[in-house]
Amino acid sequence: MDTNYGDCYALMSRHRSARARKRAVKKQQEKKLIALREKRQELWEAQYHRPWVPLAEPYQNGWKRQFVLNEAIKRTAAGPFYEALLTKINTVEYSKDKSFTVKKRKKGRKIRVPQTQELRQFYESSWNSRDCQLTAGERMLFYPREYWDKSGSAVIRYTLADTSPYVLQIRPHMITKVKLLDAQLQQDITCIANLIERNHLWPAMDRLQRSKPDYWRKYCLIDARYKNPLKNRSLSEFLQLNTYHTDDYSLPE
């Protein structure tokens, strides 16, 4: 029997198609991007955990503004309560100028306007999270307030109703310690950053990490019709919810 051994070998061998070879090349490129991202994260963590070294001569670097408790409230019985709340909602702003002003264009001219500063506000995800450190008594001082973000969507933030117990205080921003730097570590971080920026690898790395560039929208911008009011609530909070009212419906006779 005449048999074409060449055709039989071609059918029995594991030759990859053009599509499979193209897929393999893409997979290898993605593996390199993942390894590059992991290397960058490793270098960042090494830099973050570098020890701090105190300075022999501290120096001033601008000014620092933050909220402090009013002296009149501090001397009352509610002073410790508001002091504990301040540690959870305090914000800090830095400026080179003591006046804390920023440039703003108005009618074609640049003017300096006071820089606004507010206490911390909680988004719904943070407010309903179990990691929120606010107590039941502290939550009673907040109310939901609607804001409009840049995309034109309504966002709810829980804001402190009465801010009179707190006042802004400006102090010199003193640098008393610096982080011990490693020259080789800084060089490696800069080399990877230049490689990513030069080859424009940010979109591909973000797509591999989060699957979509706007991955945050499904967590922040959820339609009100699909929000679960019982999500991330403890059993005690669930039992305290007065979901059904007898005034809303009539009991069957």
Side-chain angles (χ1 to χ4, degrees):
M1 181 181 294
D2 187 13
T3 306
N4 191 342
Y5 293 99
D7 295 342
C8 294
Y9 176 77
L11 293 174
M12 296 172 60
S13 62
R14 300 180 60 184
H15 288 302
R16 293 183 299 177
S17 62
R19 182 178 180 181
R21 290 194 298 267
K22 186 177 180 180
R23 190 188 308 116
V25 172
K26 183 179 180 181
K27 189 174 183 179
Q28 290 298 327
Q29 293 176 353
E30 292 178 351
K31 287 183 177 180
K32 291 181 180 179
L33 291 178
I34 294 174
L36 184 63
R37 185 192 64 201
E38 293 177 352
K39 181 63 176 178
R40 182 191 59 179
Q41 185 67 26
E42 180 182 350
L43 294 176
W44 280 355
E45 292 180 359
Q47 183 185 22
Y48 178 79
H49 291 94
R50 295 289 297 173
W52 291 88
V53 179
L55 292 176
E57 296 181 1
Y59 64 94
Q60 181 180 353
N61 184 16
W63 301 86
K64 178 175 65 175
R65 187 174 67 176
Q66 60 183 357
F67 287 92
V68 295
L69 188 60
N70 195 347
E71 292 295 334
I73 303 297
K74 187 181 295 186
R75 292 190 294 266
T76 61
F81 172 80
Y82 285 102
E83 190 72 32
L85 177 60
L86 181 60
T87 59
K88 305 173 185 178
I89 61 175
N90 200 356
T91 58
V92 183
E93 294 286 345
Y94 300 93
S95 176
K96 296 294 183 182
D97 190 5
K98 191 176 181 180
S99 60
F100 280 85
T101 57
V102 294
K103 289 184 178 180
K104 184 178 181 181
R105 186 177 294 276
K106 183 178 181 181
K107 296 182 180 179
R109 298 176 55 188
K110 287 186 178 180
I111 60 175
R112 301 196 70 90
V113 297
Q115 183 178 352
T116 58
Q117 183 175 352
E118 298 179 351
L119 292 167
R120 180 188 175 187
Q121 300 174 351
F122 296 88
Y123 288 93
E124 286 186 303
S125 57
S126 302
W127 181 265
N128 298 325
S129 176
R130 294 183 179 181
D131 297 334
C132 186
Q133 300 178 357
L134 295 178
T135 61
E138 295 171 348
R139 287 174 177 266
M140 296 177 62
L141 303 179
F142 291 81
Y143 72 99
R145 185 178 178 182
E146 189 177 46
Y147 292 87
W148 293 92
D149 60 358
K150 295 182 180 180
S151 62
S153 303
V155 178
I156 301 297
R157 299 185 210 169
Y158 288 85
T159 310
L160 186 65
D162 185 15
T163 60
S164 58
Y166 306 109
V167 293
L168 285 172
Q169 185 183 65
I170 300 176
R171 291 183 178 180
H173 181 213
M174 302 301 298
I175 305 298
T176 59
K177 59 182 180 179
V178 293
K179 183 167 289 189
L180 186 62
L181 299 180
D182 187 358
Q184 185 62 37
L185 183 62
Q186 292 292 330
Q187 182 179 357
D188 295 342
I189 294 176
T190 306
C191 182
I192 292 180
N194 293 337
L195 177 64
I196 296 174
E197 187 68 25
R198 182 172 60 251
N199 296 283
H200 194 59
L201 302 178
W202 287 109
M205 295 177 68
D206 290 342
R207 183 174 64 253
L208 290 174
Q209 182 177 5
R210 307 184 181 97
S211 72
K212 288 185 179 180
D214 55 347
Y215 72 99
W216 54 272
R217 290 182 179 273
K218 63 180 180 180
Y219 299 106
C220 300
L221 305 179
I222 303 176
D223 197 323
R225 295 174 298 175
Y226 306 110
K227 289 183 180 179
N228 185 6
L230 305 179
K231 186 177 180 180
N232 294 331
R233 290 185 178 271
S234 61
L235 179 60
S236 60
E237 294 177 350
F238 174 75
L239 296 177
Q240 293 176 2
L241 289 177
N242 191 10
T243 308
Y244 300 99
H245 302 276
T246 55
D247 298 334
D248 298 339
Y249 63 96
S250 58
L251 296 175
E253 296 181 358

